Amino acid sequence: MFSARRFAAFLLIAGALLGLLFPLSDAQAQASGCEESAEIAVLASPSAPWKGAPLRVLVAAERPVDGELSLISPDGRVAARSRQLRGGPPYVWFAEVASPTAGAWRATLGGGGIFSGCGAMTREIEVSAQKRSTSRATEGAVWALRGKWDRATENLYSAWVAKLFDAPLEAEQSWKTWHEVLRNPSRNVLFNHLGTGEDSLTLSLKPDCADFVYFLRAYFAYKMGLPFAYSNCSRGAGGAAPRCNERFDILHPEVSRPAPPPEQVIASAAPAPAPAAAPTNILQQLFSQPQQAQPGAPTPTAAPAKPPVPKRPAGVAGYFRAIGDVVHSGSVRAPANSDKSDFYTIPLTQETLRPGTAYADPYGHVMMLVQRVPQSADGAGVFLAVDAEPDGTVTRKRFWRGNFLFANEATLGSPGFKRFRPVVRENGALRALTNSEIAKNPEYGDFSLEQTQLSAEDFYDRMDEVMSPEPLDPTRAMMAAIAALEEQVKTRATAVENGRKFQSGGRGEASMPDGAAIFATSGAWEDFSTPARDLRLLIAIDVVRGYPDRVARRGERYAMPFGQSPASAKAQLQGALASELAARTFSYTRSDGSAWTLSLKDVIDRAEDLEMGYNPNDCVELRWGAAEGSAEAATCTRHAPAAQRSKMSDYRNWFRERRWPHA
């Protein structure tokens, strides 16, 4: 993410972001050279620690180090300790004390021989006996500005995201709504960070994939008192890429949405008819007619339109809703050479691909990186990401070709990995750094147009090299691809089950839009249909089926067993693939509530049927490709209307050709 230049150490307790620097002892000051080389940032939560709230400490290091974090109580006892979380950079530690005593605590990072010639690095955290308020609003702003975006806060942001979604690679991670994650204090280091019970604001928000990425950034900025802004962008259509225009920031919350379109302003200028006598009873209220203009009466001259009075969002929750009303997937796909977008593109390296990095799918989906699992002797390297689906669910998934689609087409905008553009405060106003400024800024220095010059094959090959720099064991690499497919199938099972519940809820049919709008619309179709998910699944099926051929084609990327040629390895992999697909199974709930088990082999064999399996008005058996007249299909009692099935037949080539239509 950042340039290699070292700069002054930034060991920050949360209070430092409030403008309260903790004093250093002489011994601590002597360790500054070590701190500079490790580039460590520290966050204590809540912002004003006191004995009535858990004390949480998050540490982020820019350099790969090996040490243990200890929280030492005022009586000298080690109350909590932890080893480093998985992956990096940044390299992350987290420790918590549920009921801290009042007094001077110490957060110490040391051990493991990491700081050769240096002692352990320690910071003091004062825990008060009484609750103190630290939230002081900036006049007119949505939240108080107490800090700035720089390498320290960016690393803490990445560390916070990593902790929020941390789990072993093999664990299945899914939540029904985003606030389930944020309201989990064991995950969210910033839970009630301000001490005002502020986390109740997340309960009514249901972000989609783009909202989710923005909301996480805004949430961190809100808790840490950092600048935040978002842009009004087009979605891109008719051969034009998305384009961003004005930017809205927290210093001017009353201007948080685009101005109304001209036709709306003109309509508002039309004179209102003279008011009629107010209806005197309920019947008059129900059946009274609008007053009609009298024949021959002069037409009033339209008064100039008055711009609508800007409305200030109702608190932080209202501001989040305003964000969700404006941003969308096009906001993340804006061209990489634009300075007006909210994101900037980065080079593809392990140093730049950090938690909190967004991924812009060229066809309208957005994800966020949350963890890197380094390559080991036992397996390939893995990047993990989370996304929010239209039904509100948040799921963790692996980076691979079946999940992260890539295509460089000018009309689609710029896909790929991107970081939030830093927002800075200058002369009392907020502005975002330009691409050129980011490239030259020693705190960042990671702007790059590299991804815009890659073909799809180049992109995936480059990502393979980033995730696994060393040659891969071909069998283990294929097993990882199968595991990713299995993860994708099980995620689809959740979406199809949501559609079954929609059907059984008696809410009627979901209206099916026309053409490419089936991939991005609103209402029940958006919530319960799966065309985008199924197109990605079909691509994933192709990847897994073709893995033995890929190994034979790119033999230099694989550590072939001694004496084995790529051709013989291909034959061996084909046998292993068949047995593994048959062995991995899952269950779905049929229309009558009974369970039915399928294998991954069944799903792959039914790929052709899945080209027509995305309509929530069809029974779940049909959506999983059950053959007509089979025992599996016997419980199917519902079919989509004939007109919808006809449209699906017309659109089938998109799925058969694995081709995303342009809107």
Side-chain angles (χ1 to χ4, degrees):
M1 171 181 176
F2 304 110
S3 65
R5 189 184 76 85
R6 294 182 179 178
F7 63 106
F10 47 76
L11 269 162
L12 300 174
I13 302 296
L17 294 172
L18 296 169
L20 304 175
L21 291 173
F22 286 81
L24 304 180
S25 68
D26 292 340
Q28 292 166 340
Q30 293 171 4
S32 63
C34 304
E35 295 165 8
E36 286 184 19
S37 63
E39 298 182 14
I40 294 174
V42 181
L43 164 67
S45 185
S47 58
W50 73 294
K51 69 176 186 178
L55 174 63
R56 307 184 188 98
V57 176
L58 186 71
V59 177
E62 177 73 15
R63 309 298 178 193
V65 295
D66 176 26
E68 184 174 76
L69 173 65
S70 299
L71 298 186
I72 303 172
S73 65
D75 62 7
R77 179 178 55 88
V78 177
R81 55 165 48 100
S82 83
R83 299 291 296 174
Q84 181 186 310
L85 271 63
R86 291 162 284 272
Y91 302 89
V92 181
W93 295 258
F94 171 76
E96 178 179 10
V97 177
S99 300
T101 56
W105 284 71
R106 286 178 292 148
T108 300
L109 183 64
I114 55 172
F115 304 112
S116 178
C118 303
M121 291 185 292
T122 299
R123 282 296 176 272
E124 290 189 357
I125 306 171
E126 186 65 32
V127 175
S128 174
Q130 303 294 327
K131 185 175 182 180
R132 295 175 294 159
S133 175
T134 60
S135 180
R136 299 187 297 274
T138 299
E139 184 178 356
V142 181
W143 57 73
L145 286 177
R146 306 183 297 272
K148 65 177 183 177
W149 288 107
D150 55 19
R151 190 184 306 207
T153 47
E154 293 285 5
N155 275 345
L156 288 175
Y157 172 62
S158 291
W160 173 72
V161 169
K163 179 69 179 84
L164 197 63
F165 298 100
D166 180 54
L169 175 60
E170 63 275 8
E172 294 183 13
Q173 297 290 288
S174 182
W175 300 267
K176 291 182 180 178
T177 59
W178 82 306
H179 68 254
E180 287 185 12
V181 188
L182 290 181
R183 290 181 59 81
N184 184 344
S186 66
R187 289 187 173 279
N188 184 7
V189 180
L190 296 176
F191 181 78
N192 284 339
H193 179 69
L194 303 178
T196 61
E198 68 273 7
D199 277 294
S200 61
L201 71 91
T202 63
L203 287 176
S204 60
L205 299 173
K206 185 181 175 182
D208 62 14
C209 63
D211 298 343
F212 180 61
V213 171
Y214 276 89
F215 282 9
L216 289 176
R217 182 75 166 188
Y219 179 92
F220 182 85
Y222 160 54
K223 293 300 186 89
M224 301 292 287
L226 297 168
F228 179 80
Y230 61 94
S231 298
N232 168 35
C233 308
S234 68
R235 293 182 180 272
R243 182 177 178 180
C244 297
N245 300 299
E246 68 255 77
R247 184 172 280 121
F248 311 112
D249 62 58
I250 61 168
L251 294 184
H252 303 89
E254 72 282 0
V255 185
S256 58
R257 291 179 173 86
E263 60 270 19
Q264 183 176 329
V265 176
I266 293 171
S268 69
T280 56
N281 58 47
I282 188 66
L283 292 178
Q284 286 179 318
Q285 292 177 34
L286 288 173
F287 297 109
S288 60
Q289 300 295 319
Q291 186 179 28
Q292 302 295 322
Q294 297 298 318
T299 302
T301 303
K306 293 183 178 180
V309 178
K311 294 183 179 180
R312 182 184 177 92
V316 176
Y319 186 71
F320 272 59
R321 292 189 184 94
I323 297 170
D325 288 345
V326 175
V327 304
H328 46 75
S329 63
S331 305
V332 194
R333 287 185 289 110
N337 58 4
S338 171
D339 290 323
K340 294 184 177 181
S341 67
D342 295 326
F343 298 84
Y344 67 95
T345 55
I346 56 177
L348 300 178
T349 68
Q350 290 184 357
E351 289 69 32
T352 57
L353 296 174
R354 300 172 176 229
T357 302
Y359 185 81
D361 182 313
Y363 305 113
H365 194 56
V366 182
M367 290 175 273
M368 176 178 280
L369 288 183
V370 298
Q371 186 181 347
R372 180 178 71 89
V373 180
Q375 183 182 14
S376 68
D378 297 325
V382 177
F383 280 110
L384 297 171
V386 292
D387 64 359
E389 294 290 346
D391 60 8
T393 58
V394 174
T395 307
R396 193 184 72 166
K397 52 195 60 173
R398 302 169 187 238
F399 173 91
W400 78 305
R401 195 164 186 156
N403 272 334
F404 288 68
L405 304 188
F406 187 87
N408 259 325
E409 296 181 28
T411 58
L412 300 176
S414 293
F417 289 103
K418 305 183 178 186
R419 299 287 294 180
F420 271 98
R421 190 176 296 278
V423 178
V424 298
R425 189 175 190 181
E426 293 179 351
N427 302 319
L430 297 182
R431 74 174 186 89
L433 296 184
T434 65
N435 293 335
S436 176
E437 289 174 323
I438 293 169
K440 298 174 183 177
N441 192 318
E443 304 284 316
Y444 291 89
D446 57 342
F447 168 72
S448 171
L449 293 175
E450 171 194 352
Q451 295 179 73
T452 66
Q453 300 160 9
L454 298 176
S455 68
E457 289 300 325
D458 291 338
F459 173 79
Y460 294 118
D461 287 348
R462 175 63 184 145
M463 285 302 299
D464 280 348
E465 294 166 359
V466 172
M467 292 187 293
S468 301
E470 300 299 322
L472 297 166
D473 176 275
T475 301
R476 286 177 178 163
M478 186 179 72
M479 292 303 172
I482 295 172
L485 174 64
E486 181 179 31
E487 182 181 89
Q488 208 161 331
V489 168
K490 289 182 176 179
T491 301
R492 181 186 191 266
T494 299
V496 173
E497 172 63 7
N498 290 338
R500 185 190 71 83
K501 291 177 179 177
F502 165 75
Q503 286 183 356
S504 60
R507 293 162 59 185
E509 292 175 350
S511 299
M512 181 180 180
D514 296 324
I518 66 170
F519 292 96
T521 184
S522 59
W525 183 269
E526 179 181 27
D527 291 343
F528 304 111
S529 71
T530 56
R533 190 190 301 272
D534 290 0
L535 183 52
R536 290 183 175 90
L537 179 60
L538 291 168
I539 293 171
I541 287 172
D542 293 344
V543 172
V544 169
R545 279 196 295 207
Y547 211 91
D549 288 321
R550 175 178 173 80
V551 171
R553 178 173 57 86
R554 297 203 67 211
E556 75 283 357
R557 280 289 297 140
Y558 299 93
M560 298 294 179
F562 180 74
Q564 190 173 51
S565 67
S568 60
K570 173 181 173 180
Q572 180 179 332
L573 290 173
Q574 287 173 329
L577 176 63
S579 60
E580 192 68 21
L581 291 175
R584 298 193 183 221
T585 62
F586 69 99
S587 295
Y588 75 88
T589 303
R590 296 194 295 174
S591 299
D592 66 346
S594 63
W596 192 269
T597 299
L598 295 175
S599 67
L600 288 189
K601 181 180 183 303
D602 293 327
V603 174
I604 285 182
D605 289 344
R606 299 177 180 189
E608 187 174 341
D609 297 308
L610 294 179
E611 295 167 4
M612 296 272 285
Y614 55 84
N615 194 323
N617 298 315
D618 280 320
C619 66
V620 290
E621 295 86 347
L622 188 58
R623 296 188 70 183
W624 282 111
E628 186 177 353
S630 66
E632 180 185 356
T635 51
C636 175
T637 57
R638 184 185 179 106
H639 291 80
Q644 292 188 5
R645 297 294 294 181
S646 177
K647 285 198 287 187
M648 292 170 72
S649 295
D650 292 340
Y651 307 153
R652 188 166 191 166
N653 274 346
W654 297 338
F655 298 87
R656 181 173 292 132
E657 298 172 4
R658 315 299 193 248
R659 172 175 55 88
W660 209 286
H662 291 188

